[in-house]
């Protein structure tokens, strides 16, 4: 049987192998170990609020907590009525940071960058030193209502 449009057995196998390899690459998330985006990039949030007493970590000076309504932001109490808010997007490639070390520092699950609770880089992801300190967001605390406004 002769067919000019039919694939040879060898061509069919070659194309099938490429299709399987492509699907595997997609499943692996483009080779960086991430499936989909990091979800941590984009403009910094503004106008977020939190009732401080609802976040247990914020009862203690120095402990970090993700903002319950938006994990793109972490907050720590720095004094009786003062707070620091930081972006949780890794400054290397934007992966959302984890809060680690008993809530006193950040670590990136992607390439291992680390940041202290002030957002200062303490470990770079590579020899080029690609990570910078975390962006700080403005905060305003109303002690009468216990509401912290961020951004
Ligand atoms: S994205 Fe965080 S270390 Fe690379």
């Amino acid at each position: 049987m002769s067919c000019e449009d039919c694939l040879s057995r060898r061509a069919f196998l070659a194309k099938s192998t490429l299709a399987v390899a492509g699907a595997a690459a997609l499943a692996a998330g483009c080779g960086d170990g991430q499936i989909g985006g990091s979800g941590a990039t984009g403009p910094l949030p503004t106008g977020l609020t939190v009732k401080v007493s609802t976040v247990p970590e914020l009862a203690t000076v120095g402990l970090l907590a993700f903002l319950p309504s938006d994990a793109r932001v972490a907050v720590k109490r720095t004094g009786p009525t003062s707070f620091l808010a930081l972006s949780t997007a890794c400054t290397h490639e934007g992966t959302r940071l984890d809060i680690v070390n008993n809530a006193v520092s950040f670590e990136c699950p992607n390439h291992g960058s680390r940041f202290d609770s002030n957002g200062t880089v303490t470990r770079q992801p590579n020899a080029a030193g690609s990570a910078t300190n975390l962006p700080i967001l403005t905060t305003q605390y109303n002690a009468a209502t216990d509401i912290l406004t961020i951004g």
Side-chain angles (χ1 to χ4, degrees), residues 9 14 23 39 91 94 103 106 124 143:
R9 176 181 165 84
T91 55
F106 298 96
Q124 291 286 346

Side-chain angles (χ1 to χ4, degrees), residues 90 92-95 108 110-113 125:
C90 181
H92 179 222
E93 291 182 355
T95 300
C108 181
N110 206 1
H111 307 108
S113 287

Side-chain angles (χ1 to χ4, degrees), residues 34-145:
Q34 299 273 301
I35 295 176
S38 65
T41 58
L44 294 174
T46 59
L48 302 171
T49 60
V50 62
K51 188 168 183 67
V52 170
S53 61
T54 65
V55 181
E57 292 88 344
L58 297 182
T60 304
V61 170
L63 296 184
L64 293 163
F66 288 113
L67 199 63
S69 63
D70 194 328
R72 292 177 299 168
V73 176
V75 180
K76 87 169 178 179
R77 181 184 286 272
T78 57
T81 59
S82 59
F83 297 86
L84 175 69
L86 299 162
S87 166
T88 60
C90 181
T91 55
H92 179 222
E93 291 182 355
T95 300
R96 178 150 311 134
L97 299 170
D98 295 328
I99 293 175
V100 298
N101 199 20
N102 295 316
V104 296
S105 61
F106 298 96
E107 184 168 304
C108 181
N110 206 1
H111 307 108
S113 287
R114 289 186 185 160
F115 304 84
D116 68 17
S117 67
N118 293 318
T120 302
V121 179
T122 57
R123 184 171 76 188
Q124 291 286 346
N126 52 35
S130 305
T132 58
N133 295 341
L134 300 177
I136 296 173
L137 291 84
T138 60
T139 59
Q140 187 171 21
Y141 179 61
N142 182 329
T145 61

